Amino acid sequence: MRTVSYESLQADQAWMVVSDQLNQRNTLLSRGISKLEQQQQSLPIASRLMTLRFHLRQSLRRLTSEARRRPENADQAEALNQQWCHVHQLYFLLRQIDAELTNAREDSDALNEWLNTMESRVYKSALVHLN
């Protein structure tokens, strides 16, 4: 049984925030790919976004699997440290996705126009929970 502490709750909250952000990016990628696939000239950008989405899903599976493999009798401090490492890896993945989306947006007028028509949404900053 895992002891609940303020620090473990903070790590859980950070995991949920960054996971939510990654889920939003996954949805955005999916919708963007569908939009780009409608235009022949946009297929190379759609392919880049598909590769990015695949990388996102594989990374999430790997990190989730690693998190579940932690032994029950693991030292609590080490378990918390490991959880924060996973949160930071997820956050790094989020930043990679945002950078790639920015690059794709610059390379594709169709993607840029589509993203401009979407309702602007303010994403929670995962930085608050990571610092």
Side-chain angles (χ1 to χ4, degrees):
M1 185 171 147
R2 187 173 125 184
T3 304
V4 177
S5 66
Y6 179 73
E7 292 80 15
S8 67
L9 290 174
Q10 279 184 311
D12 285 344
Q13 177 65 25
W15 179 284
M16 288 188 306
V17 168
V18 75
S19 295
D20 180 57
Q21 294 297 303
L22 287 167
N23 187 42
Q24 290 176 15
R25 296 319 188 277
N26 183 49
T27 300
L28 183 69
L29 286 169
S30 175
R31 292 176 61 201
I33 291 165
S34 295
K35 190 70 171 173
L36 291 172
E37 286 177 331
Q38 297 171 5
Q39 302 171 357
Q40 184 68 28
Q41 72 274 15
S42 297
L43 289 178
I45 302 294
S47 178
R48 279 177 39 196
L49 294 182
M50 288 172 97
T51 302
L52 181 60
R53 190 165 181 239
F54 176 79
H55 174 65
L56 166 63
R57 290 180 13 214
Q58 289 301 105
S59 296
L60 288 175
R61 283 186 187 124
R62 181 184 54 80
L63 286 171
T64 301
S65 175
E66 285 177 12
R68 288 184 180 146
R69 271 189 265 136
R70 188 186 66 202
E72 292 242 355
N73 59 352
D75 175 61
Q76 186 167 347
E78 183 172 325
L80 185 60
N81 185 48
Q82 187 66 32
Q83 187 174 6
W84 276 113
C85 284
H86 286 148
V87 168
H88 285 284
Q89 288 173 332
L90 289 172
Y91 183 67
F92 180 75
L93 181 60
L94 179 65
R95 291 186 61 194
Q96 284 181 307
I97 290 167
D98 286 346
E100 286 300 319
L101 276 170
T102 298
N103 291 340
R105 188 176 193 156
E106 291 171 358
D107 294 342
S108 170
D109 290 336
L111 180 64
N112 191 36
E113 289 172 19
W114 176 73
L115 287 172
N116 284 336
T117 62
M118 293 185 61
E119 176 183 321
S120 63
R121 181 171 179 173
V122 178
Y123 294 105
K124 293 179 194 172
S125 173
L127 278 174
V128 172
H129 299 282
L130 293 176
N131 290 327

